[in-house]
């Protein structure tokens, strides 16, 4: 009768559940779920996993925090470049725009018409809080849908 080691059984069971969390506590051990991924699956989980070439021959996949600690003489890891931070929208003082055309062209601004007060340009957040019974606002995000 063949005996299968506990770690082999554990890896087989983890391979059957790749959607599990990145680290699973089991018997007090922290297991790296990325190690169960093949090269393509490792690339699909680039947010938490890094593909590495072990000893110049074997493709492996490690959690990025672990891959950063591996000795570079033995492991060549392909760290994805960090994604650039999102560029903030231009800051426009919507209240300073006095014409409908310039208001509509400005990012994040909405032109609102009212019979009670003069028409004016507001930020989208401000325009959403205005009473609909008094103000008619043209939201560009609604027009695009």
């Amino acid at each position: 009768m063949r005996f299968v080691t506990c770690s082999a059984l554990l890896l087989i069971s983890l391979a059957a559940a790749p959607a599990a969390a990145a680290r699973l506590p089991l018997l007090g051990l922290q297991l790296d779920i990325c190690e169960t991924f093949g090269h393509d699956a490792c690339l699909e989980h680039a947010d938490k996993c890094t593909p590495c070439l072990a000893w110049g021959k074997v493709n492996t996949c490690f959690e990025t925090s672990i891959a950063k600690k591996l000795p570079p003489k033995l492991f060549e890891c392909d760290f994805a470049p960090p994604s650039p931070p999102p560029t903030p929208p231009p800051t426009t003082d919507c209240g300073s725009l006095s014409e409908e055309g310039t208001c509509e062209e400005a990012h994040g601004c909405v032109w609102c018409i009212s019979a009670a007060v003069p028409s004016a340009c507001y930020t989208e957040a401000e325009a959403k809080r205005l009473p609909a019974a008094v103000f008619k606002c043209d939201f560009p995000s609604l027009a695009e849908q």
Side-chain angles (χ1 to χ4, degrees):
M1 177 177 249
R2 288 182 116 172
F3 289 99
V4 180
T5 65
C6 289
S7 60
L9 285 175
L10 183 58
L11 287 176
I12 291 168
S13 64
L14 287 176
R23 297 187 141 275
L24 300 174
L26 185 64
L27 300 175
L29 301 174
Q30 294 293 320
L31 300 173
D32 182 1
I33 192 73
C34 297
E35 290 181 23
T36 64
F37 294 145
H39 184 73
D40 292 337
C42 190
L43 293 174
E44 290 173 13
H45 295 87
D47 58 320
K48 61 185 171 207
C49 300
T50 299
C52 298
L53 188 63
W55 299 282
K57 297 178 182 179
V58 181
N59 283 321
T60 57
C61 184
F62 292 101
E63 185 177 327
T64 302
S65 63
I66 293 172
K68 289 179 180 179
K69 297 175 185 175
L70 295 173
K73 289 184 179 183
L74 301 176
F75 295 89
E76 296 174 32
C77 297
D78 185 16
F79 295 102
S83 52
T87 55
T91 55
T92 303
D93 180 15
C94 298
S96 68
L97 304 175
S98 59
E99 295 182 18
E100 183 177 0
T102 55
C103 178
E104 290 175 347
E105 291 173 2
H107 178 74
C109 296
V110 178
W111 187 257
C112 297
I113 301 169
S114 171
V117 295
S119 299
C121 187
Y122 299 92
T123 65
E124 285 189 43
E126 292 170 332
K128 288 178 183 177
R129 290 191 304 258
L130 295 172
V134 179
F135 291 89
K136 179 184 177 280
C137 301
D138 295 322
F139 289 96
S141 57
L142 295 176
E144 293 170 1
Q145 293 179 356

